[in-house]
Each structure stands twice: as C-alpha cells, then as structure tokens.
Amino acid sequence: MATTLIPPQALADELVARVQAFCRSLDAQLPAYSYVPLTTDAQRLIVLQSRYWNELRAAEIFGRWLKGFDDLEVKLHFMDAIGEEARHSRLLADRIRALGGDPLDYLPPPGQIAMFNAFEALEDPVERVAAFSLAGEGVADYLIGKMLDAPGVPEWLKAPYRAIHAEEQGHGSYPAEVIARLATTEERQRRARRAVAMSLVLRRRYFDDLDDMVLRGVRW
Ligand SMILES: [Fe+2]
Ligand SMILES: [Fe+2]
C-alpha cells in the first residue's frame, strides 16, 4: 500500500486551511453564538450561559486528559489552559449575574453535549490538539473577533471577550506547532484529519441548535 504520510508541517498547514475555510463559511450568516445577530438581552443571556457551560466543560476535559499526555510541553499547555478557562468562566458569570441570570440555569442542546463528549473521548495528543485547540478554539476565537468588530454588540458584552480574545490570541500558532512536531506517523495524521472534520461537523450542529434555542425558542 502506498504511504499516505506527508511532512507534518504540510499536515498542519492543511488543517489550518480547513479550519479557516470553515470560519469563512460562517460569515454569510453569523450564528447566535457570535452574539452579532442578537437584538435583546434575553437572547444574549442564553448565549452567555451556553458559553459559560463551555468554559467549565473545557476545563473538565483538559483535567481528564492530563494523565494521558507524555509530551511535557503539551501537558503544561493544558495545565495552564485549565486556569485560563477558570478565568474566562468568572468573567462570563459576572455578566450573567449582572443581567439577573444564574450561570448554571442552562440546559445544553444535543449538539453541544455531543461535541464535548466527542472531545473527551479522543485519546491521541495530536487528535486532541487538532480537534479542540486548533478547530474548536480556532473557530471560537474567530467569532470573538467578529463580535468585537460588530457595532451592534454592546460594550458591556465585548469587555469580557476582549480579555478572553487576548488570552486565546496568546496561544497563536501553538496548536499548528504541536501538529507539525508530533504528527509524524500515518496513523496520527489520519486521526488528526478525522478529528478536525469531527470537530467542525459537531461545531456546526451546536451552532444550529443554539440558533434554534435563542432565535426560535426550541428546548430539549
Ligand atoms: Fe480556551
Ligand atoms: Fe475559554
């Protein structure tokens, strides 16, 4: 069988391009998740709660993953990330309470549950970084950029996301560097590609479910 192994840097470039293409596909109709199409604080509250849930769930998953990392740099990255998600969760909880809401009074839709459960089940460090850090956080941070540029999003809502954006941007090309360093076998490259595809398809489902919740009142 012909080898499908490509230089790991080429794989990293391919996956970055794939995530960027997904991001651009959102531009024509930005999801409720981005806050950009929202017009009321009642809608914004639901998205804040949804994204608060993500911060907690992210830290839980990173914690469960830690023992499985033998690459010290990757392990330390996720140790730092747990503290980062805690900071983000506090920033969002403050805004939820300021709106009179309860951060935990939220039932995640099926797509959101599925996406995080799928992340949690990933076993290889490269596929974890590809699915969560590169694709997941990459799309999330892209949409934070859109929100910060949108004149219709109120300043009180942009403020916490400016701090979150600064931290996420601080990771910069970190996920691509990990892939370029560690995706050195056919198996790892195949899993990384599949993980990015999985992350994006489930992300799309989560965004559609959240649109249904926030814009059309659907509940599960
Ligand atoms: Fe993060
Ligand atoms: Fe976060």
Side-chain angles (χ1 to χ4, degrees), residues 55 62 84-85 88 137 168 171:
E55 303 288 359
F62 297 163
E84 199 172 280
E85 307 309 348
H88 300 170
E137 294 188 297
E168 295 292 352
H171 307 154

Side-chain angles (χ1 to χ4, degrees), residues 71-102:
D71 186 274
L72 184 60
E73 205 189 288
V74 173
K75 191 191 285 278
L76 286 168
H77 169 81
F78 282 102
M79 289 169 71
D80 287 337
I82 291 172
E84 199 172 280
E85 307 309 348
R87 282 193 294 282
H88 300 170
S89 76
R90 287 194 185 94
L91 289 169
L92 299 186
D94 284 349
R95 291 307 184 280
I96 292 167
R97 292 194 188 98
L99 286 175
D102 173 350

Side-chain angles (χ1 to χ4, degrees), residues 7-8 14 20 36-37 45 63 80 89 103 123 130 145 148 171 199 207 219:
E14 174 193 318
Q20 286 171 345
V36 176
L45 175 61
D80 287 337
S89 76
E123 287 172 359
L148 294 177
H171 307 154
S199 182
F207 284 172
R219 294 293 183 273

Side-chain angles (χ1 to χ4, degrees), residues 28-82:
Q29 196 180 357
L30 290 171
Y33 175 94
S34 72
Y35 298 102
V36 176
L38 307 185
T39 52
T40 69
D41 283 350
Q43 294 173 333
R44 294 178 184 119
L45 175 61
I46 298 171
V47 176
L48 273 165
Q49 288 171 318
S50 185
R51 296 182 64 158
Y52 175 79
W53 190 90
N54 293 344
E55 303 288 359
L56 297 185
R57 194 77 182 93
E60 286 173 4
I61 289 171
F62 297 163
R64 291 193 76 152
W65 281 353
L66 280 182
K67 252 179 116 175
F69 292 130
D70 44 18
D71 186 274
L72 184 60
E73 205 189 288
V74 173
K75 191 191 285 278
L76 286 168
H77 169 81
F78 282 102
M79 289 169 71
D80 287 337
I82 291 172

